[in-house]
Structure formats: C-alpha cells, structure tokens
Amino acid sequence: MDDTHIGPNAIAAESIRCIVKLGGAAITCKNELEMINEDNLQTVSSQLRQAMIMGSCSNKVVGMDWSKRPGVSDISCTVGDFGDQAQLNVDFSEFIVVHGAGSFGHFQASKSGVHKGGLNQPLVKAGFVATRISVTNLNLEIVRALAREGIPSIGMSPFSSGWSTSNRNVASADLAGVAKALHSGFIPVLHGDAVLDNKLGCTILSGDVIIRHLAEHLKPEYVVFLTDVYGVYDCPPTEPNAVLLREIAVDEDGSWSVVNPEVENRNKQVEITVAAHDTTGGMETKITEAAMIAKLGIDVYIVKAATSHSLRALSGELRHSIPADWLGTVIRFSRRDG
C-alpha cells in the first residue's frame, strides 16, 4: 500500500516546472571513494541557476553558503548584498533536485549488504549507519554548491522525511515537507538513501525511484536526468559501435521501443552494464523509472551533465521540438490515434 501524504499546503501541480536528477556518476568521481567532481558540480549548479531564473534581469549571484570551506582561510559571506532588495526579487521557478550517491554510499551499502535487508545483523545495521553518513555528507555538499550559486536549497533526506519501502517499493512518503518547502520559495534537494523496509528490514531507495514517485504525485512539466554519458545507447557507450538512442516511445502498457534512430528491431532492449558496487541498478533502473514517468505524459530527458545540451534540457527548450544538434535521449509517451 502506498501511503503518501502531500498535505493541505501542497503546491498546485501546474507550478512544478521540473524535477532534476543529478546522477551520482556525473557529480562524483565514481572510482574514487567519496570524491566529488567539483568542476561538474559547479557547472551543473550554475546551469540550474540559469534555468531557474529564466526571464529575470538579475545576473548577480548572491551566495547563501556562509560557512567555512576546506582549503579556504575565511568564511564566504555576502550579507551586504542583501541590502539591495532588487537582488532579492529573483523568481526561482519551481524545481526539485534529487541526486544519486555515486562514490558516496554505494560502497558502504554494497560492503554490508544493506540493499538486501536483514537489519538484525550487526554488519547490516553498521552499514546502514555508514551509508547514511556518507550520502548525507554528499547531500550537504550539493546543497552548499547550489547555495553558492544563490539557489535557496534545502537538503531533505528521505529516511528523515518519512520515506519507507515494502519489498523495495515505496510504501510511505510524506511529501508535505517537500510541498511546504516549495511553497516557501525553497528548492528541495533529496537523495538516494538507506531506508526502513517493512518486509526486508531495510534497503536502499534509489534517487530514480524517488523521482518517479515525486513525478506521480506532483506532476512536473518535464524531468531531466543528468548523467556522465550523452544519453541511452544500444550497447555500453564505451564500445566503438555504440549508437545514441535519441528518442524512445513508451506505450500504455509500459513497454517501450526506439523511435529515433530507426533500427531493424524496434523493440530491441539496450545492453546494460552496472558497476559492481552499484546497489540501485544503474542505467537499467533509470530507463525503467523514466519509462514509468513518461507513461504519465511527462517527457523525460537523459543528457550528459555540464554540457550545452544539459542546459537546453534544464531550460525547457526541448519541450516543443528536439533540435537536430541536441545530443541526448528523450523518453516520451506514445500518443497514438485510434
């Protein structure tokens, strides 16, 4: 049973513009334990700001991270800028950010088997704690990066916000906090997390599943997955003959097929590779969840982070037509007549 609470102060569905997934592989160095890809994260944060303030005449960034950073001798504080009320009138469009764990959390979860359950086992319980320490540390750093771009972001951990599962399916999610944060002008930043499961004891709730659940209940205009590759390929993108699948159509029964480019077998499934330490299914989970979102009539764009292509997707430029020079994958509902 899905026990989702949105609450009386929920945002009207039409006001949610975009839900963004920051892929763990795009914002962290996936082969280096708990290492953030600082350049990518900074670029992604800047692009999110540009997408959120479309139509605003203010280009000045008023930072909101007033805490000391490692390697920096003093605190970066721009309190004086807030005396100019004009700078405070930037209208941030309604966005929700969800990020993966990348090199944070996955190693701890995989080592202890948290994703398999068994919370009564000492190793699993210790791994649950270790995983949450790791993913919440990453969440804080992402919130800080967004705040430095003047984005009023608020970290919201699913475990602490009442999310739980049953056999790895979302069983409970209190979205009232998300709705209230949006209503108050904040950008909620959620993340993949270790959560309690009423059948298994515990498991890992992936950011992709969180996005699908948010999309079902809050109905954004579009969803963007930022990854470390240009989109979905017909085989691992490291292979020289890999072909980028530019458009995937999802039917009413949830099945999907490749529309562009034309292929001999339209229903050919893509070949999937998943890192050994990835406890959430990698690209396979991403495609499955994206197809379920598209089935709701919400277009999904999978695109490489920190590129001109990702900025175009985040800005909503692709909603009416896909330019020939855009690199990425769009997954959308197949609206067939008759």
Side-chain angles (χ1 to χ4, degrees):
M1 177 177 159
D2 177 359
D3 185 19
T4 296
H5 303 286
I6 299 181
N9 295 321
I11 300 299
E14 62 270 15
S15 68
I16 303 293
R17 186 162 158 229
C18 177
I19 299 178
V20 184
K21 166 68 185 299
L22 308 185
I27 56 175
T28 72
C29 303
K30 56 185 176 182
N31 294 320
E32 296 185 51
L33 181 63
E34 297 191 344
M35 179 72 68
I36 294 174
N37 186 327
E38 298 285 357
D39 290 341
N40 265 14
L41 180 56
Q42 181 177 357
T43 301
V44 166
S45 299
S46 175
Q47 289 189 350
L48 279 168
R49 173 182 166 80
Q50 293 176 62
M52 290 176 184
I53 62 172
M54 288 180 61
S56 171
C57 61
S58 174
N59 292 318
K60 185 173 182 179
V61 174
V62 183
M64 299 180 185
D65 180 13
W66 301 348
S67 48
K68 192 175 183 300
R69 299 181 64 196
V72 179
S73 59
D74 58 1
I75 294 176
S76 175
C77 185
T78 55
V79 175
D81 290 334
F82 287 85
D84 181 1
Q85 291 299 312
Q87 300 298 336
L88 300 181
N89 293 329
V90 176
D91 180 22
F92 283 89
S93 297
E94 302 294 355
F95 273 62
I96 299 175
V97 175
V98 181
H99 66 82
S103 62
F104 289 71
H106 281 306
F107 289 105
Q108 291 86 344
S110 178
K111 187 174 183 178
S112 59
V114 169
H115 56 297
K116 299 177 182 177
L119 198 57
N120 59 325
Q121 302 171 42
L123 175 61
V124 175
K125 183 167 288 186
F128 190 98
V129 172
T131 299
R132 294 213 68 252
I133 289 172
S134 186
V135 295
T136 52
N137 278 340
L138 176 60
N139 181 252
L140 175 60
E141 291 308 311
I142 290 174
V143 167
R144 293 185 67 184
L146 295 172
R148 287 193 292 274
E149 285 292 326
I151 299 172
S153 50
I154 299 293
M156 304 187 75
S157 291
F159 175 87
S160 304
S161 302
W163 290 67
S164 65
T165 58
S166 178
N167 273 332
R168 300 190 178 92
N169 296 311
V170 174
S172 178
D174 186 352
L175 302 186
V178 172
K180 288 177 181 177
L182 288 165
H183 184 72
S184 300
F186 294 108
I187 304 298
V189 184
L190 291 78
H191 59 86
D193 202 1
V195 297
L196 300 179
D197 187 288
N198 62 22
K199 300 293 186 182
L200 305 173
C202 64
T203 193
I204 298 297
L205 177 63
S206 79
D208 297 333
V209 173
I210 291 171
I211 283 191
R212 189 252 299 167
H213 197 77
L214 290 171
E216 284 179 352
H217 293 276
L218 299 179
K219 302 295 192 297
E221 295 177 13
Y222 55 98
V223 169
V224 178
F225 285 84
L226 300 178
T227 71
D228 62 333
V229 293
Y230 278 105
V232 179
Y233 291 79
D234 64 341
C235 61
T238 51
E239 296 188 9
N241 61 338
V243 175
L244 176 64
L245 307 180
R246 295 176 55 85
E247 183 172 350
I248 294 174
V250 179
D251 293 328
E252 289 188 11
D253 62 0
S255 64
W256 54 272
S257 58
V258 179
V259 174
N260 184 14
E262 292 187 3
V263 293
E264 291 183 11
N265 181 3
R266 288 173 57 87
N267 295 309
K268 176 188 175 185
Q269 298 294 301
V270 296
E271 297 177 30
I272 303 295
T273 56
V274 179
H277 61 269
D278 192 338
T279 58
T280 59
M283 185 60 80
E284 185 173 17
T285 299
K286 194 180 310 297
I287 297 172
T288 300
E289 298 300 331
M292 295 179 73
I293 294 169
K295 190 179 171 184
L296 301 171
I298 301 168
D299 287 355
V300 179
Y301 309 106
I302 301 179
V303 61
K304 188 172 184 177
T307 64
S308 60
H309 307 288
S310 58
L311 178 57
R312 296 170 82 177
L314 291 169
S315 300
E317 179 184 326
L318 312 177
R319 295 198 61 216
H320 302 294
S321 63
I322 306 297
D325 63 347
W326 182 75
L327 292 181
T329 300
V330 57
I331 301 179
R332 54 174 46 138
F333 184 63
S334 178
R335 298 175 176 83
R336 295 179 179 174
D337 297 327

